[in-house]
Amino acid sequence: MSCKTLVATAALALTAVTGFAQAKELVVYSSRQEHLIRPVFELYTEKTGVKINYITDGEAPLMARLRAEGANTPADLFITVDAGNLWQAEEMGLLRSVKSDVIEANIPSQYRSSNSQWTGLSLRARTIAYSTERVDPDTLSTYEALADEQWQGRLCLRTSKKVYNQSLTATMLETLGEEKTAEIIRGWVANTSVPIFSNDTSLLQAIDAGQCDVGIVNTYYFGRLEKDNPDINVALFWPNQDDRGVHVNISGAGVTRHAKQPQEAIKFLEWLTTEEAQRIFADVNMEFPANDQLPPADDVAAWGEFKADTIDVEIAGRRQPEAIMLMDRLRWN
Ligand code: FE
C-alpha cells in the first residue's frame, strides 16, 4: 500500500466518523493506478466542487473489500480494467443498474454491461507485436496463424493467469468454438521457447532483445516503451483484418450497489464519458477513447487505423470460467 493510499484511507475514516452525508464528496475504489486517475478527478473537482476521495489497490482485494463492507461501504464508484473484471463485479452483486441517456449516447453498447451495471471508459487493443529486425509483417495475418509451425520457438506469451489473456480466449471461444480455440492455444503453447512472462512490458523487451520474435500485448504497454525508446525494434501489427478484427477490451466503471450518493456518482460517471474527461482518461495511458465520437490522441493514432472486433466485451466475463479451464488443460501457465 502506498503512502497516498494510506492518506486516502485516513480521509475516508474521517468522513465516516463525522458523517458528512450531505457533503459534495464521492468515494472511488480504483484498481487503476493513481497517476492514471488523479488528473481526471482533479479536473472534476475544479469544475464542480465535488471532492473525489479514492483508494487504489488490485481488483481482487477491492472487490473482496466491497463485498465485505456490504451496505457499509463508503464507495460510490468502482473503477477497474477489463470487461472480465467488471463482469465479475456485476456477478458478485457489487454494482447497480444505471440508466443514463448520456452514457448510452456516448459509449457504444458493445462496451457496456447489458444490465447497465458498468460502462467502458477507455479502449485498449490486445494485438500482435513483432520484431522489426527479424519479422516481415507480410508473414503476419491472424492470432490463429501464430499457432503455425513457422513460429516454432519464436512466440512469447504472457501468463494465462492474467485476465487480459482470459478475455482474449473467451472471445475466441465465442467466435471460433471450443475445438478451434483449443487447437490454436495448443499451437501457441507449442511455439513458445522461453518461459511465460508475468507482464506485457517484459514480453515486449524480450522481443526487442531477440529472445523471441512475436507476442500478444496491450497497445498502451507498447506505447509507453516506444515513448521512452523511440528506436525500439518492435512494432504493432493489427491481425484478423479480413475477418473479426482486433480484440479490444476496456477500462471502465460502475456505480456501487450501496453507493451513499448514487445521483452524484451517476453524474460523475456520465461526465467521464464526455469529451473533456475522455481526452484525459484515455490519453494519459495512451488508450483509445471509449466515446466513439472522439479520435484517439496523435501518438496513439500514429499506430494506424484498424478494424476492431465488434463482439460485446461482456462475453469476456461470461465465458471466463471456460477460458480459464481450457488454458489450464492445455498447460498455458
Ligand atoms: Fe494493463
Side-chain angles (χ1 to χ4, degrees):
M1 202 183 256
S2 72
C3 275
K4 289 267 168 44
T5 308
L6 286 171
V7 171
T9 309
L12 286 186
L14 193 68
T15 307
V17 169
T18 50
F20 267 59
Q22 302 309 312
K24 289 268 190 175
E25 291 192 3
L26 285 170
V27 176
V28 177
Y29 284 6
S30 170
S31 83
R32 294 205 98 191
Q33 292 167 7
E34 180 180 11
H35 69 279
L36 300 179
I37 51 174
R38 195 169 17 98
V40 80
F41 289 1
E42 284 174 355
L43 180 61
Y44 192 68
T45 302
E46 195 183 302
K47 292 186 61 81
T48 64
V50 177
K51 187 165 182 284
I52 313 286
N53 295 311
Y54 58 90
I55 57 170
T56 61
D57 203 343
E59 62 265 6
L62 286 177
M63 285 193 255
R65 181 170 177 163
L66 276 169
R67 176 149 69 182
E69 289 171 342
N72 295 321
T73 189
D76 297 293
L77 202 75
F78 176 55
I79 295 180
T80 190
V81 296
D82 205 287
N85 288 334
L86 288 157
W87 178 86
Q88 198 99 51
E90 176 175 340
E91 280 293 294
M92 287 167 72
L94 305 176
L95 306 176
R96 68 166 67 199
S97 283
V98 169
K99 287 303 271 179
S100 160
D101 293 342
V102 175
I103 294 171
E104 283 177 23
N106 286 341
I107 309 294
S109 65
Q110 75 189 86
Y111 303 126
R112 289 187 271 114
S113 146
S114 54
N115 300 314
S116 309
Q117 298 220 359
W118 44 263
T119 179
L121 293 174
S122 64
L123 308 179
R124 62 277 299 282
R126 189 153 188 79
T127 195
I128 295 175
Y130 67 95
S131 160
T132 51
E133 292 190 313
R134 297 177 303 283
V135 175
D136 174 353
D138 286 345
T139 62
L140 293 165
S141 57
T142 62
Y143 296 103
E144 292 88 312
L146 294 181
D148 293 349
E149 227 171 302
Q150 66 158 316
W151 301 109
Q152 176 77 55
R154 302 172 70 191
L155 176 67
C156 277
L157 287 178
R158 180 175 184 164
T159 173
S160 68
K161 307 290 179 284
K162 184 68 187 181
V163 69
Y164 302 156
N165 282 334
Q166 295 167 4
S167 292
L168 174 64
T169 302
T171 57
M172 292 198 320
L173 277 170
E174 179 75 10
T175 310
L176 305 171
E178 170 154 13
E179 207 177 311
K180 181 79 184 144
T181 305
E183 190 186 311
I184 296 158
I185 290 179
R186 211 172 281 122
W188 286 357
V189 172
N191 281 346
T192 59
S193 62
V194 285
I196 292 289
F197 290 83
S198 62
N199 62 72
D200 287 8
T201 301
S202 54
L203 193 161
L204 285 160
Q205 286 165 333
I207 297 176
D208 191 35
Q211 274 183 274
C212 52
D213 297 340
V214 285
I216 301 171
V217 297
N218 283 1
T219 39
Y220 55 90
Y221 291 110
F222 172 75
R224 289 178 198 167
L225 283 181
E226 190 191 33
K227 198 184 261 176
D228 287 349
N229 172 17
D231 298 325
I232 189 168
N233 293 312
V234 179
L236 296 177
F237 178 82
W238 308 123
N240 297 76
Q241 294 302 281
D242 295 330
D243 46 73
R244 68 182 185 278
V246 179
H247 172 65
V248 167
N249 211 309
I250 58 175
S251 80
V255 177
T256 62
R257 169 147 304 184
H258 299 292
K260 299 293 174 294
Q261 306 207 66
Q263 292 317 315
E264 280 298 330
I266 292 168
K267 263 195 248 171
F268 180 46
L269 187 57
E270 286 178 335
W271 178 77
L272 286 171
T273 70
T274 64
E275 178 162 9
E276 72 184 326
Q278 286 277 293
R279 280 277 63 103
I280 303 175
F281 200 86
D283 296 358
V284 74
N285 193 35
M286 300 185 79
E287 291 185 74
F288 303 87
N291 181 327
D292 62 349
Q293 292 129 54
L294 307 172
D298 290 345
D299 49 4
V300 171
W303 302 332
E305 284 190 17
F306 61 91
K307 173 182 166 188
D309 195 344
T310 55
I311 197 169
D312 277 350
V313 291
E314 192 168 71
I315 292 295
R318 237 179 248 295
R319 302 197 71 155
Q320 187 185 75
E322 283 168 86
I324 292 171
M325 274 197 293
L326 184 69
M327 292 188 288
D328 232 40
R329 180 158 68 77
L330 300 175
R331 302 205 171 79
W332 180 351
N333 296 322

